[in-house]
Amino acid sequence: MTTAPGAPGASPLTAPLTVEFPFTRSLGPVQSAFLTGLRERIVLGVRASGAGILVPPVEYDPATAAELRELVQVGTSGTVTTWAWNSRPRPHQPLASPFAWVLVRLDGADTALLHVLDAPGPEAVRTGMRVRIRWAAERDGAITDIACFEPDDSPPAAPRTVRAHHGTFDNPVTGIVTPARLDYTHTPGRAQTRYLQALGGRRITGERCPSCDKVYVPPRGACPTCGVATAGQVEVGPRGTVTTFCIVNIKARNLDIEVPYVYAHIALDGADLPLHGRIGGIPYDEVRMGLRVEPVWTDGSRHPDHYRPTGEPDADYDTYRELL
Amino acid sequence: MTPPAGTVPVAVVAFAQTVHRRRTDELSEAEMLMPVLHEVLAATGLRTGDIGFTCSGSSDYLAGRAFSFTLALDGVGAWPPISESHVETDGAWAFYEAWVKLLTGETDTALVYAYGTSSAGELRDVLSRQLDPYYTAPLWPDSVALAALQARALIDAGHTTGPALAAIAARSRADAAANPYAQLRGAVAHGDPVVHPLHTGDCPPVGDGAAALILAAGDRARELCARPAWITGADHRTEAHALGVRDLTDSPSTRLAAERAGVFERPLDLAELHAPFTSQEVVLRRALDLDTRVRVNPSGGALAANPVMAAGLVRIGEAAAAIHRGEAGRALAHATSGPCLQQNLVTVLEGET
């Protein structure tokens, strides 16, 4: 975390936060046929009860929810039904230079497909214009196998009837991965900012509820019991008592801690809520409820690395029974 | 639906909202929520322990904070164990859930709240992750682009023009001058095209905010509020998720929800429409058959403040507050979610004469 520019002492902490995951989905028979078809430069639709031919195809009728399976092949040219000019493409969008978002009704289809149109400018785009698919050079069974649409200057083809398609291909695509990456600026709020700033000075602070008098650590700004702000800061610890613990036998990836090790709930002196931390400096099988511990700080780390025994006699059970 | 025969009537008895701002870097969600929660409780004299049911609306995707709704619950005081629920969408749907809960007679008070912290990420990109992952999300169409496709369809169909959209923006921002909570207030330039045909003035501001309201049933409502805003109907409907299947110039789901909620039975004084884009007000006015006698969005609407996930609940709160103040007798509130008005909720609020 870094301190953002602003009023001294009052500026909130901020840090970049990236949420990234591969959104992995299996495909049903209709979606599998459609996306595999794109790989083979074939566009498939599905015949619906009332709405005619749906492209892109779905497995259930949008109006009646009836199961749909009757695949048909439609054209690779079509008509723009609506459009919008995007002069500043955003990250991940199909074209890096200005383009038009379009809904295109492909020849033979009764519904429209969302995609992008490569055109020199908004004056070159209009509803009703003819466009055709520009296929991606490398295709692997995804909607992006259509690189984009491009203006189709050839005369409109004679009305064509769609023809049935078996929908079966060699080596069909059965799943897709849609990567998602979102970048945020995380801000922890007033209470956690105060807590983190104190940690920078190797002090652990809780905040007291003005209503029930409980001291919460780490504080989150509100007393979950009373629903009021916890504004009064209280220094807690540094010593505390192990209230309960577990022995971890699975080595965490990218974590340089030998197993087994002990992870514990630690009630710092003066706090009314235990926080959790790793216990070190003692064999794992000698850790016990009531063990008195203190934080061990290492250079360059904002949080205590672990807690170690203080050598004091164990705390009496009655002193921490309410904190289990 | 309209309340089934024999059920006790339910009313909105208190409403509060934050001042909506471009950023709230100094606040966690619980810190942002607490003032509005305390305000609605103070307005009714209730304490959190008196509330029978609590329901909230939000989305972790806005700020990228996992399980933020459980942390926000700290601000409610979830003790002793409370009856609580959360919807991962606009708080208007939490309002609906709370209304149904009160109609069952299981309890007579409910607290509904919602919040959104859109400033933490790039909202246009974040919202694209709610689209279907097979055919749409891989293209990363952003929320403004999809609204622009709808605006173009409306212009091509002759339902509106660029200047007419600009006039909607100007009216909304001018009305917001009287709304101390609005993010954009007073005259605001229509601006440059964002995604043509939509200009900056056609699009809502990005910002953070929260809102809360309290519902109460029967005599309890009369005890808690001098002029309760009785819920005489509420309904929500959804359309096909594929944009190319829908007629983007129409909103049959809004019309059906309005019919089921009893909107068309008697004239309205006021309508708070959740239309984040000017073009969507055109669609909603047509779907709801609103004539010029109905005052639309005197608060400035979502064009003046659009705390995503709370903006729909704010519409219900603004409509209820107009009844509390005696400024309206019968008001409609609409909330939406999803691209191009995909999901729509309509409720009718009435004051006693």
Side-chain angles (χ1 to χ4, degrees):
Chain A
M1 289 236 174
T2 54
T3 303
S11 54
L13 295 177
T14 67
L17 171 69
T18 299
V19 175
E20 193 168 16
F21 54 92
F23 200 53
T24 307
R25 307 288 297 182
S26 57
L27 300 172
V30 171
Q31 290 173 320
S32 171
F34 175 70
L35 292 177
T36 309
L38 295 185
R39 189 188 68 196
E40 309 302 326
R41 303 190 192 202
I42 289 170
V43 183
L44 298 180
V46 70
R47 192 182 298 277
S49 44
I53 307 293
L54 305 179
V55 179
V58 292
E59 286 159 355
Y60 296 94
D61 192 302
T64 67
E67 187 172 348
L68 302 178
R69 288 291 179 274
E70 196 182 335
L71 295 168
V72 294
Q73 183 173 349
V74 301
T76 55
S77 294
T79 304
V80 170
T81 63
T82 186
W83 61 281
W85 185 255
N86 187 21
S87 54
R88 287 188 295 278
R90 302 179 70 76
H92 317 299
Q93 291 180 344
L95 295 173
S97 53
F99 64 84
W101 289 102
V102 282
L103 280 167
V104 177
R105 190 168 57 231
L106 289 167
D107 294 341
D110 294 292
T111 64
L113 171 84
L114 177 75
H115 220 290
V116 303
L117 171 67
D118 186 8
E123 62 288 342
V125 187
R126 59 181 174 81
T127 297
M129 76 183 284
R130 297 284 299 166
V131 294
R132 64 173 172 244
I133 290 174
R134 182 192 295 164
W135 295 103
E138 292 187 14
R139 297 178 308 282
D140 52 9
I143 193 67
T144 45
D145 287 355
I146 299 174
C148 61
F149 281 85
E150 59 192 14
D152 184 2
D153 301 327
S154 59
R160 50 180 293 174
T161 49
V162 296
R163 56 178 187 273
H165 194 280
H166 47 72
T168 54
F169 297 92
D170 291 338
N171 190 23
V173 177
T174 58
I176 57 162
V177 177
T178 301
R181 179 194 163 109
L182 297 169
D183 290 292
Y184 299 95
T185 300
H186 182 71
T187 59
R190 286 176 188 140
Q192 291 191 64
T193 291
R194 289 192 289 261
Y195 173 74
L196 292 165
Q197 282 169 340
L199 277 183
R202 296 196 173 181
R203 293 181 301 115
I204 302 174
T205 54
E207 294 197 356
R208 190 183 297 281
C209 171
S211 175
C212 70
D213 230 29
K214 275 203 171 105
V215 173
Y216 291 94
V217 57
R220 294 206 303 250
C223 171
T225 307
C226 305
V228 298
T230 56
Q233 291 175 79
V234 182
E235 194 151 337
V236 296
R239 294 185 169 188
T241 302
V242 172
T243 64
T244 186
F245 64 93
C246 65
I247 299 167
V248 180
N249 286 290
I250 299 168
K251 190 165 172 59
R253 194 159 43 163
N254 304 327
L255 205 58
D256 189 25
I257 298 172
E258 289 305 313
V259 294
Y261 66 88
V262 171
Y263 211 64
H265 270 184
I266 300 156
L268 293 177
D269 295 345
D272 292 296
L273 197 75
L275 47 66
H276 41 97
R278 185 169 62 89
I279 306 297
I282 181 173
Y284 72 90
D285 56 355
E286 291 177 20
V287 174
R288 55 203 180 266
M289 291 170 74
L291 181 71
R292 295 285 294 162
V293 294
E294 63 189 1
V296 177
W297 301 84
T298 51
D299 288 340
S301 172
R302 189 185 281 274
H303 293 271
D305 179 71
H306 64 277
Y307 290 77
R308 70 181 170 208
T310 63
E312 294 168 278
D314 285 4
D316 187 62
Y317 179 68
D318 284 339
T319 64
Y320 62 87
R321 62 184 297 171
E322 298 297 326
L323 301 176
L324 285 175
Chain B
M1 63 174 182
T2 50
T7 53
V8 180
V10 177
V12 179
V13 296
F15 168 61
Q17 62 185 315
T18 57
V19 173
H20 306 290
R21 295 189 281 141
R22 178 64 188 87
R23 318 198 64 85
T24 51
D25 289 346
E26 75 285 12
L27 299 175
S28 68
E29 279 124 340
E31 288 166 342
M32 182 166 71
L33 264 169
M34 268 188 294
V36 294
L37 295 172
H38 297 162
E39 193 178 333
V40 286
L41 290 166
T44 54
L46 294 170
R47 294 182 301 177
T48 50
D50 302 326
I51 297 289
F53 179 58
T54 298
C55 200
S56 60
S58 67
S59 173
D60 283 359
Y61 272 80
L62 292 178
R65 299 189 215 233
F67 292 101
S68 72
F69 72 92
T70 64
L71 303 181
L73 204 55
D74 284 355
V76 175
W79 186 270
I82 64 170
S83 172
E84 183 269 338
S85 182
H86 175 260
V87 297
E88 189 76 10
T89 183
D90 192 287
W93 276 261
F95 157 88
Y96 187 89
E97 184 174 333
W99 179 56
V100 171
K101 182 88 166 182
L102 264 60
L103 287 178
T104 67
E106 225 172 274
T107 181
D108 62 0
T109 52
L111 170 64
V112 181
Y113 66 88
Y115 61 90
T117 312
S118 310
S119 65
E122 285 293 334
L123 185 63
R124 290 168 66 180
D125 300 329
V126 170
L127 291 178
S128 77
R129 297 304 87 192
Q130 74 181 333
L131 303 167
D132 101 70
Y134 308 100
Y135 303 154
T136 313
L139 305 172
W140 291 81
D142 61 276
S143 47
V144 179
L146 296 176
L149 288 170
Q150 186 173 34
R152 167 57 57 192
L154 285 164
I155 291 168
D156 285 341
H159 297 318
T160 193
T161 61
L165 296 180
I168 290 171
R171 190 209 73 230
S172 299
R173 266 83 190 232
D175 281 349
N179 178 357
Y181 304 98
Q183 186 178 334
L184 287 183
R185 302 176 58 199
V188 177
H190 196 49
D192 299 323
V194 186
V195 180
H196 188 82
L198 293 180
H199 292 237
T200 48
D202 295 306
C203 305
V206 176
D208 303 345
L213 51 80
I214 289 178
L215 303 183
D219 291 339
R220 200 86 172 94
R222 293 185 182 89
E223 290 165 20
L224 297 172
C225 180
R227 186 174 150 84
W230 299 102
I231 304 162
T232 58
D235 205 278
H236 59 93
R237 301 282 158 166
T238 295
E239 287 169 39
H241 71 258
L243 293 171
V245 172
R246 293 164 49 189
D247 173 0
L248 295 178
T249 66
D250 196 7
S251 183
S253 57
T254 298
R255 186 178 297 110
L256 181 58
E259 277 171 17
R260 299 297 175 98
V263 168
F264 303 119
E265 290 168 10
R266 288 190 302 286
L268 297 161
D269 303 318
L270 180 151
E272 280 284 342
L273 305 180
H274 186 191
F277 297 91
T278 53
S279 43
Q280 294 179 344
E281 184 178 306
V282 176
V283 177
L284 293 170
R285 278 177 176 271
R286 283 166 45 80
L288 292 166
D289 199 21
L290 296 179
D291 61 34
T292 50
R293 286 170 296 183
V294 182
R295 183 127 197 246
V296 172
N297 289 352
S299 64
L303 286 166
N306 189 39
V308 176
M309 301 300 151
L313 186 66
V314 170
R315 303 281 71 74
I316 296 169
E318 290 280 9
I323 288 170
H324 295 161
R325 294 190 299 261
E327 292 170 7
R330 189 167 193 262
L332 174 153
H334 160 268
T336 195
S337 185
C340 299
L341 302 172
Q342 187 194 354
Q343 298 151 40
N344 295 286
L345 183 150
V346 174
T347 189
V348 182
L349 301 163
E350 297 187 34
E352 279 163 0
T353 46

